[in-house]
Amino acid sequence: NAGVMQNPRHLVRRRGQEARLRCSPMKGHSHVYWYRQLPEEGLKFMVYLQKENIIDESGMPKERFSAEFPKEGPSILRIQQVVRGDSAAYFCASSPNLAGASDTQYFGPGTRLTVL
Amino acid sequence: QQPVQSPQAVILREGEDAVINCSSSKALYSVHWYRQKHGEAPVFLMILLKGGEQKGHEKISASFNEKKQQSSLYLTASQLSYSGTYFCGTEKGGAQKLVFGQGTRLTINP
């Protein structure tokens, strides 16, 4: 049973370019969470999605960042006009659909974004 | 809102025990514990729901005191493979985002 998959694993962008990060949840999981981790720091929540719905985006910066989880295909975290401060590891986690229940979130290997 | 972990770092010799604490100022629904090795993804250890339950397997266990809004992770007879940074993630309600502590770096020396 494949785990959470993320690609690319490493991404280098120049300032002003766009970054697209992809996450495929574990089989049978319909909840996806995105977290950002700066070097030597903890994980910071960004956004929580279910298929075709954004449930909680309280951790998303107001500008340049967007996320989607379409009916078909992976979840996408999109960063427009990247700046050096966007350099970080971006982790995706997924959990099964247990409505209202506390559930284990399984993390993918992460995408390490470097902005030059 | 971020839970506070203590200690921030600990160095042990193989075979020694460790306790890592996680405290929150907010009422909690659950606490999730993860271990992360450098450059890798966080790996799930265990989840504790409100009710003061204690969970564990082999030499790693945890407790959750709902009234005190605290959780503790216990590592017994530590092994070299236990090295890494331990994070607690707290949840205010079911099926919601996790708010992580700043991490506790554990180093196990031979």
Side-chain angles (χ1 to χ4, degrees):
Chain A
N1 194 8
V4 179
M5 293 190 290
Q6 290 188 248
N7 66 82
R9 296 289 303 276
H10 300 274
L11 182 62
V12 179
R13 285 286 179 265
R14 295 190 179 279
R15 281 179 296 171
Q17 291 184 319
E18 178 180 288
R20 284 194 177 219
L21 289 62
R22 295 174 184 78
C23 168
S24 295
M26 286 179 69
K27 187 177 181 180
H29 288 192
S30 58
H31 295 207
V32 166
Y33 307 78
W34 285 93
Y35 294 86
R36 176 165 63 177
Q37 186 174 39
L38 295 171
E40 306 303 322
E41 293 191 10
L43 297 143
K44 296 288 193 291
F45 168 79
M46 299 182 74
V47 63
Y48 163 32
L49 310 103
Q50 295 178 19
K51 287 282 188 182
E52 300 184 280
N53 283 309
I54 296 175
I55 306 302
D56 183 346
E57 56 181 348
S58 58
M60 286 278 272
K62 298 292 183 215
E63 298 178 349
R64 302 187 298 109
F65 284 72
S66 62
E68 62 177 6
F69 189 14
K71 187 176 181 181
E72 301 292 337
S75 175
I76 306 278
L77 179 67
R78 182 183 178 203
I79 311 172
Q80 295 178 291
Q81 299 176 322
V82 296
V83 300
R84 289 213 174 116
D86 296 333
S87 294
Y90 292 82
F91 289 98
C92 164
S94 74
S95 68
N97 181 18
L98 298 179
S102 198
D103 208 8
T104 299
Q105 295 182 23
Y106 295 94
F107 281 79
T111 293
R112 278 141 187 90
L113 173 66
T114 302
V115 180
L116 301 177
Chain B
Q1 283 192 350
Q2 181 183 29
V4 177
Q5 290 185 232
S6 62
Q8 289 188 336
V10 59
I11 300 174
L12 299 175
R13 287 196 179 277
E14 194 174 7
E16 293 182 334
D17 301 341
V19 180
I20 300 171
N21 300 303
C22 175
S23 298
S24 174
S25 59
K26 304 283 185 181
L28 299 176
Y29 184 85
S30 68
V31 180
H32 305 226
W33 285 96
Y34 289 83
R35 175 172 61 215
Q36 185 180 32
K37 294 185 181 287
H38 186 71
E40 299 182 8
V43 174
F44 171 75
L45 294 175
M46 62 188 73
I47 179 175
L48 299 106
L49 303 178
K50 63 179 181 179
E53 68 172 295
Q54 184 155 350
K55 276 193 167 184
H57 52 88
E58 295 188 354
K59 298 175 182 176
I60 299 177
S61 61
S63 63
F64 178 25
N65 187 322
E66 179 188 352
K67 289 183 180 179
K68 292 185 177 180
Q69 293 153 196
Q70 289 178 349
S71 178
S72 295
L73 185 72
Y74 307 94
L75 299 106
T76 306
S78 57
Q79 304 170 12
L80 294 176
S81 61
Y82 288 2
S83 292
T85 301
Y86 289 76
F87 292 99
C88 68
T90 56
E91 185 182 25
K92 290 192 295 182
Q96 293 188 10
K97 66 186 181 188
L98 294 178
V99 180
F100 285 93
Q102 80 280 16
T104 295
R105 180 173 293 182
L106 176 65
T107 303
I108 310 294
N109 292 321

